[in-house]
Amino acid sequence: MPLLSVRDLHVEYRIPDMGISIKALRGVNLDVEEGDSLAIVGESGSGKSTLALAILRMLKPPTVVKGSVLINGVDVLKLSEDEFNRRFRWSFISIVPQASQNSLNPTMRVRDHFIDTARYHGVDEHEALRRAFEMLEFVKLNPVRVLNLYPHQLSGGMKQRVLIALAMFLNPKIVIMDEPTSALDVVTQLEILKLVKSINRDLKTTVIFITHDISIVPLVSSKVAVMYNGIVVESGPMRDVLANPLHPYTKALIEATPSLSESIDRIKPIPGEPPSPLEEIRGCQFWPRCPRVMDVCRVEEPPDININGRVVKCHLYR
Ligand code: SF4
């Protein structure tokens, strides 16, 4: 049984005052096994962060969430909020959210963030500080100094390390990291990526790493899922997917990614524009930009097709 299994997950953001409804997820299927390091990659607006928020039950009405999210076999979308918080949040699954640099409370010292989180889960202050020491050392910060600092006294890289330590502090089985390096300089980015790798390798935590940058995927993950306009279009072992992409979107994304070792002339921008969130596309979501589009693509949504341990959503492989 997968540790996390997402089935036919739909999310619709509704703005009742304006009579607008935006489909952010359109039937996502995804399995994550214990010990996996999975990268979820796609352009902005593809639904990566929405997927993370839906898994963590962080989307509230009027947003509509349908489908199932099985964590360790339990459909967490069916639990009360209190039960989910008590059984799963932080202690089984945690998140380093996007723009997390702003998610520390500026009026609280670092130590109080740890104590607050621990108190909710019935962990006493002494144990909370012992664990905070351990995790801050793991993320290569000096606990004696950092625990007494306020967020404004930390650099961007230090804040990100504190947030990773907080996410790991109650020893969760799964941690989701949503673009944890996007606001950092390249040197700090590399240090954080090494840390992410070490969380998976040394602490044996299952890591889901969300990024728009496919070039960093080999540094942090052994599996990859590619998202486009609210669906997973291809998933499988990272090396196979990057070396031999099956879905035309995956191929286009790789060809559009700059590399330091190759000529800039090699880069091919993806034709067309990402779809507007208000646009309804029938059939395959990628057909307006796909170089291999066929008649069937414009009318029929492709199914998930299994090919040698990979899953691809494209009529070319039927
Ligand atoms: Fe292209 Fe058709 Fe495959 Fe969609 S289903 S990616 S339009 S070939």
Side-chain angles (χ1 to χ4, degrees), residues 205-269:
T205 308
T206 302
V207 174
I208 300 174
F209 185 91
I210 293 174
T211 180
H212 63 275
D213 184 356
I214 201 166
S215 70
I216 62 174
V217 166
L219 301 178
V220 288
S221 71
S222 58
K223 292 186 178 173
V224 64
V226 181
M227 287 192 72
Y228 184 80
N229 205 26
I231 49 173
V232 174
V233 294
E234 180 165 2
S235 61
M238 179 272 294
R239 284 180 204 282
D240 296 349
V241 173
L242 297 195
N244 177 27
L246 298 177
H247 196 281
Y249 174 66
T250 314
K251 192 166 184 296
L253 194 62
I254 292 169
E255 287 177 352
T257 303
S259 154
L260 277 181
S261 58
E262 290 178 284
S263 158
I264 199 160
D265 298 332
R266 184 198 63 87
I267 302 171
K268 280 201 223 157

Side-chain angles (χ1 to χ4, degrees), residues 90 112-123 128 166 169-170:
W90 293 104
D112 298 322
H113 288 83
F114 284 95
I115 291 168
D116 252 25
T117 309
R119 193 178 293 137
Y120 187 83
H121 287 274
V123 178
L166 255 175
F169 156 70
L170 291 178

